[in-house]
Amino acid sequence: PDCIIMAFSVCTAIFLGLLASARTTNRIYRETDVSLPPEWQWQRSGRARAEERIEIIIAVKQTNKDLLEQTVLVVSDPDSSAYGLHLTLEQVNELVSPTSESVAAVRAHLDAHGVNACESTSHHDFIKCYTTVAAAEALLGATYHYYSHHKANVTVLRTPYYSLPEELSKHVDFVSPTVRFPTPQARVRRTAGKKSDHDNTPDGLRKMYKIGKVEGAHGKQSCTAFLEEYYSQDDLDQFWKFYYPNAEGQKINVVGPNEEGKPGAEASLDIEYMTAIGGGIETEFWSFAGRAPDNPENEPFLKWIYLVGNTSDSAVPKVFFNVIRRA
């Protein structure tokens, strides 16, 4: 009988241990509402190499998002007494910063998988890490593959699914790059032609919107380009000479990569018309490539959010125009 009782106790202990282990390893699949794009757009071309480097961004769950939305509506309402009283970056950070519990949970999960090469925004709502595909797969319960978009000649790393431990999942909004794909576009080169009364020229638009000859004197604006959309300074100089001579000689401050030999139609049009309609205003070109030699899984729009969140009020442009166009 004693042997039977001992055997029963051992079996019970093993069972409870396995049960506890199962509970601690329960995982929640995330972003299950996102479907893989059709194969004619993105074709899977093989498993990612385990040793390949990958950059991942974890969006730690923010707080008070409802209150932030209410604040945005109030300060944007001309009938509100708070109209125009916009929050500073520091005030926004203080309002929506994740809890210390959420940040600690994410950090602990990263440490447990040996993912230590990380940095974050000032208020820790985005944590960016550099690691290997093998470590990322273990971290996210994912299986990374190469996906190719032959029309745009772009290859990215993505996974058809990913999951997080149940206790961690509640502290995370999403992880990228995982199941969402960029929207590449074909590049075309546009050349200046003859002026026409029917064209949307700077003169025509300034007349239509009753801007006249007025130019700005303060502030900063930015044309923000994604998915390898670049502009050519030579093309811009030609545009200014032909359509808006007042801008000739203006310097564009470029933040990020800009391959002038590969100008895109959207980026070119946007920087041209931004500088012509917003004449006299300091202009920047923020560029986020859709891929890079050591980072093919780049998620450009998320990188823009990350950079804006880490840029002071005095340095960040007050107006952004984003270049995003479908192929």
Side-chain angles (χ1 to χ4, degrees):
D2 291 340
C3 292
I4 294 175
I5 292 173
M6 183 178 296
F8 177 77
S9 299
V10 170
C11 290
T12 301
I14 293 174
F15 173 76
L16 291 175
L18 290 173
L19 182 61
S21 176
R23 284 176 177 171
T24 59
T25 56
N26 282 346
R27 302 183 72 93
I28 305 295
Y29 284 91
R30 304 301 306 271
E31 299 189 75
T32 55
D33 58 322
V34 178
S35 301
L36 285 174
E39 287 191 8
W40 62 267
Q41 288 185 347
W42 289 95
Q43 292 185 349
R44 191 165 75 181
S45 54
R47 285 278 277 117
R49 298 186 301 275
E51 70 279 6
E52 182 162 349
R53 304 296 296 179
I54 185 173
E55 176 189 294
I56 60 172
I57 294 180
I58 301 174
V60 187
K61 190 172 290 294
Q62 295 176 322
T63 59
N64 301 317
K65 287 187 285 188
D66 291 343
L67 181 56
L68 177 63
E69 181 179 2
Q70 293 172 16
T71 303
V72 170
L73 294 175
V74 168
V75 301
S76 304
D77 183 358
D79 295 328
S80 168
S81 59
Y83 179 61
L85 301 178
H86 301 286
L87 302 182
T88 65
L89 175 63
E90 290 73 19
Q91 289 172 324
V92 173
N93 289 346
E94 185 177 349
L95 181 63
V96 302
S97 290
T99 65
S100 56
E101 179 187 4
S102 292
V103 176
V106 173
R107 292 286 189 186
H109 187 60
L110 292 168
D111 290 342
H113 288 82
V115 180
N116 302 313
C118 300
E119 59 187 60
S120 71
T121 53
S122 58
H123 51 300
H124 308 293
D125 59 344
F126 287 102
I127 298 177
K128 180 167 61 177
C129 301
Y130 305 88
T131 186
T132 63
V133 165
E137 289 184 339
L139 189 77
L140 304 173
T143 305
Y144 277 95
H145 294 80
Y146 299 109
Y147 289 85
S148 300
H149 194 291
H150 297 295
K151 181 179 178 181
N153 193 28
V154 172
T155 299
V156 299
L157 282 174
R158 290 296 186 272
T159 174
Y161 55 82
Y162 75 101
S163 63
L164 296 170
E166 186 174 11
E167 287 304 308
L168 175 65
S169 186
K170 63 185 180 183
H171 297 293
V172 174
D173 277 330
F174 62 88
V175 181
S176 176
T178 50
V179 296
R180 297 182 184 273
F181 285 71
T183 307
Q185 56 187 310
R187 300 186 193 90
V188 296
R189 186 180 181 88
R190 185 185 58 78
T191 57
K194 292 183 178 180
K195 292 182 180 179
S196 167
D197 293 338
H198 304 290
D199 289 340
N200 287 327
T201 62
D203 285 344
L205 291 174
R206 279 177 164 266
K207 182 178 179 180
M208 180 187 301
Y209 290 103
K210 297 180 173 58
I211 300 173
K213 302 292 185 180
V214 174
E215 289 202 339
H218 305 286
K220 185 189 296 184
Q221 59 189 4
S222 171
C223 175
T224 307
F226 302 100
L227 301 175
E228 298 180 326
E229 271 285 326
Y230 308 118
Y231 85 98
S232 163
Q233 186 62 49
D234 288 341
D235 288 352
L236 183 57
D237 290 339
Q238 289 181 25
F239 177 87
W240 286 339
K241 181 178 181 179
F242 193 75
Y243 288 110
Y244 199 69
N246 285 0
E248 288 190 89
Q250 181 178 346
K251 178 178 174 56
I252 305 298
N253 181 32
V254 177
V255 178
N258 183 45
E259 298 184 31
E260 294 196 32
K262 300 178 180 178
E266 291 297 309
S268 298
L269 283 168
D270 291 339
I271 193 68
E272 288 166 358
Y273 277 82
M274 172 172 273
T275 53
I277 305 304
I281 300 176
E282 180 183 352
T283 304
E284 297 186 339
F285 184 83
W286 286 28
S287 174
F288 298 86
R291 56 175 174 162
D294 61 343
N295 185 20
E297 75 290 342
N298 183 27
E299 191 71 52
F301 191 69
L302 186 56
K303 287 180 176 291
W304 174 76
I305 296 175
Y306 184 93
L307 182 57
V308 170
N310 259 3
T311 304
S312 67
D313 284 341
S314 60
V316 72
K318 298 303 182 284
V319 175
F320 281 98
F321 188 89
N322 294 334
V323 182
I324 305 176
R325 184 173 70 87
R326 293 188 179 276

